[in-house]
Amino acid sequence: MALITVSGYPSSGKTRRAGQLKTAFEARLQDPTYVGPKLKVVVLSDDELNISRDAYKGAFVFGFDLWPETDVLADSRSEKPARGALFTAMQRQMGTDTILIVDALNYIKGFRYQMYCAARELKLRVCTVYAVATTDLCKEWNKSRLDGHAYTEETLDNLLLRYEEPSSMVRWDSPLFTIPWIDAEIPADDIWKAITEGNVKPPNAGTQAVPKAPTDALRALEATTTSTVGAIMAEQAASGGLGGAVTLGISSEIVPSITLPPRNITLSELQRIKRQFVTVHKKAITLGTTEKGAVDWSEKSIAHKFAMYIEENLKP
């Protein structure tokens, strides 16, 4: 159904905003006047996955390290698997019957783009909620936490420096809803409209699985084109080069039609056209094809395509 990415400084109130969203959406879904599809609202967070705040202690900031290099390398390595665990859990939870709210730091724009692409693969609507608070407030709220999930001072300072603010100008952060700390309520109606009525963007071409040809496609391509050339030469010899519409009897099941020009076609001419055809289709077989739907690599299909290709290339 939809993916909502909650982003903001650490200890900026993201969890509160995610909770407000969940409450508002569940109330709407349970309203007797609601007539839409049956949906569930799920909030996914680091706390749900038992990801420690210490996992975000990576300390390289714009080429500078804040602690001795050995500590930095050890700390920064822990952040990647933490993001990986979050991303994997997000993929498991996403679905056409789920409004998924990801309540995590989501402070790296590259990671937000990765989440955006995953949602597009499933044709889900997306939006970003930006929980805004000043750095001083974040530090104050972090110190006052009593749930055992406070950041250390060093980690908090590091994350504040590394935060990459979402922008409505980029597609993976759009539509963007910015909610400052002074707002007691959230624009629940506008967010609901975005995730239920907004455009569903097609999957990114760069992330789509490329259909592969069957293992015998190269053999079928070579054998069928060779047989077609032989059938054309035999038909031409029988008709005396009169041309016109003919049916090539390659086999009992493969009988493509072709219109030949009223002249003698040389074998070298047909061999040249065959090489061109085979070269183009070999690339599609070995590298995959971006054509929509399944591509038919049967001998019958190849023969008909090759007959059309010859006909086009023999036109005066």
Side-chain angles (χ1 to χ4, degrees):
M1 173 62 180
L3 171 68
I4 301 175
T5 303
V6 182
S7 182
Y9 284 155
S11 297
S12 60
K14 297 185 297 298
T15 299
R16 179 167 66 97
R17 299 306 186 185
Q20 288 177 311
L21 281 172
K22 187 174 189 294
T23 300
F25 292 163
E26 286 181 337
R28 186 180 291 264
L29 292 169
Q30 293 167 8
D31 191 300
T33 61
Y34 174 72
V35 293
K38 186 177 180 180
L39 302 171
K40 59 182 178 180
V41 184
V42 176
V43 176
L44 182 65
S45 67
D46 285 345
D47 296 340
E48 294 284 337
L49 301 174
N50 294 318
I51 296 175
S52 170
R53 298 296 190 270
D54 291 338
Y56 297 99
K57 292 195 296 185
F60 281 115
V61 183
F62 306 118
F64 298 97
D65 55 309
L66 302 182
W67 296 290
E69 186 175 355
T70 54
D71 294 336
V72 172
L73 293 175
D75 291 339
S76 59
R77 278 197 296 264
S78 66
E79 186 173 332
K80 187 174 180 180
R83 287 200 303 270
L86 178 67
F87 185 74
T88 301
M90 182 200 76
Q91 288 181 302
R92 286 198 300 265
Q93 294 283 2
M94 287 193 303
T96 55
D97 64 342
T98 303
I99 299 174
L100 179 60
I101 304 169
V102 181
D103 168 29
L105 282 175
N106 302 324
Y107 71 99
I108 299 174
K109 60 183 177 182
F111 184 60
R112 294 198 298 269
Y113 175 70
Q114 187 179 6
M115 296 165 68
Y116 163 81
C117 289
R120 284 181 62 175
E121 284 298 301
L122 296 177
K123 298 182 179 179
L124 307 182
R125 293 182 176 89
V126 298
C127 77
T128 302
V129 172
Y130 180 21
V132 178
T134 65
T135 57
D136 290 338
L137 274 176
C138 291
K139 291 178 180 179
E140 180 183 336
W141 290 341
N142 184 65
K143 287 180 180 179
S144 64
R145 297 189 73 149
L146 301 175
D147 56 4
H149 296 307
Y151 297 90
T152 65
E153 185 176 345
E154 294 84 0
T155 300
L156 181 62
D157 288 338
N158 178 27
L159 289 171
L160 291 172
L161 284 172
R162 288 195 289 155
Y163 185 77
E164 296 176 341
E165 184 176 330
S167 169
S168 60
M169 299 299 290
V170 297
R171 60 188 183 279
W172 58 88
D173 288 334
S174 299
L176 177 64
F177 297 91
T178 301
I179 309 175
W181 74 96
I182 57 175
D183 289 358
E185 300 299 326
I186 59 172
D189 291 341
D190 293 336
I191 296 173
W192 175 263
K193 186 175 181 180
I195 63 172
T196 57
E197 301 178 18
N199 294 329
V200 178
K201 297 181 180 179
N204 192 331
T207 62
Q208 291 187 70
V210 178
K212 293 294 183 182
T215 54
D216 64 341
L218 282 173
R219 181 205 60 77
L221 177 66
E222 186 64 38
T224 305
T225 51
T226 298
S227 298
T228 304
V229 169
I232 291 174
M233 294 303 295
E235 182 66 33
Q236 184 174 247
S239 65
L242 294 178
V246 298
T247 300
L248 304 176
I250 297 176
S251 71
S252 59
E253 297 181 354
I254 306 174
V255 284
S257 299
I258 186 172
T259 301
L260 299 175
R263 63 177 178 85
N264 283 322
I265 306 167
T266 65
L267 178 60
S268 61
E269 189 176 4
L270 289 175
Q271 292 285 17
R272 175 181 56 82
I273 296 173
K274 175 193 170 221
R275 284 194 299 271
Q276 293 172 348
F277 182 84
V278 169
T279 299
V280 170
H281 287 76
K282 266 187 177 180
K283 291 181 179 178
I285 290 173
T286 56
L287 300 178
T289 176
T290 57
E291 293 183 38
K292 292 183 179 179
V295 178
D296 188 356
W297 291 105
S298 66
E299 293 181 353
K300 184 176 181 180
S301 175
I302 292 172
H304 282 283
K305 287 181 180 179
F306 185 42
M308 294 172 58
Y309 187 80
I310 292 173
E311 189 174 318
E312 285 294 321
N313 280 270
L314 289 178
K315 285 182 178 179

